[in-house]
Amino acid sequence: MVAVKLRILLFGRVSDALGPQLEAMIPEEGCTLGQLRRLISEQTDSDVLLQKGVRASLDKQVADDDAVVRPGAEVAFFSLFSGG
């Protein structure tokens, strides 16, 4: 299996826990957002990405966990924001 580096942006409480960005190695053929969440959780020993209310975007569009992440994609994880 060939793996490629993917840069991931983090916002809100996800950023508070893991920093503003991180890198993960994904298979060359890609993986789902759900698989990426689990991979990052294992690598960082943090369950913040698995918590309810943490959303993901793929190429600047909110996406579900079954969306496929390909090398070169823009991925961001963020907590739901509140305020007014």
Side-chain angles (χ1 to χ4, degrees), residues 51-84:
Q51 294 174 4
K52 186 175 180 170
V54 173
R55 304 291 308 267
S57 68
L58 179 59
D59 294 327
K60 300 184 181 175
Q61 298 289 322
V62 174
D64 293 324
D65 277 355
D66 59 351
V68 177
V69 178
R70 305 262 183 231
E74 179 183 284
V75 176
F77 290 102
F78 54 94
S79 56
L80 296 177
F81 300 99
S82 63

Side-chain angles (χ1 to χ4, degrees), residues 2-79:
V2 176
V4 295
K5 192 182 305 185
L6 180 72
R7 185 174 66 111
I8 300 150
L9 305 173
L10 308 171
F11 299 95
R13 73 169 190 248
V14 179
S15 176
D16 292 342
L18 300 175
Q21 68 180 18
L22 54 82
E23 293 180 341
M25 299 300 288
I26 65 168
E28 185 177 46
E29 65 274 9
C31 65
T32 67
L33 277 171
Q35 291 168 325
L36 183 59
R37 280 182 197 264
R38 290 186 295 280
L39 174 70
I40 294 168
S41 295
E42 290 170 6
Q43 290 177 349
T44 62
D45 198 29
S46 171
D47 70 345
V48 69
L49 290 181
L50 304 177
Q51 294 174 4
K52 186 175 180 170
V54 173
R55 304 291 308 267
S57 68
L58 179 59
D59 294 327
K60 300 184 181 175
Q61 298 289 322
V62 174
D64 293 324
D65 277 355
D66 59 351
V68 177
V69 178
R70 305 262 183 231
E74 179 183 284
V75 176
F77 290 102
F78 54 94
S79 56

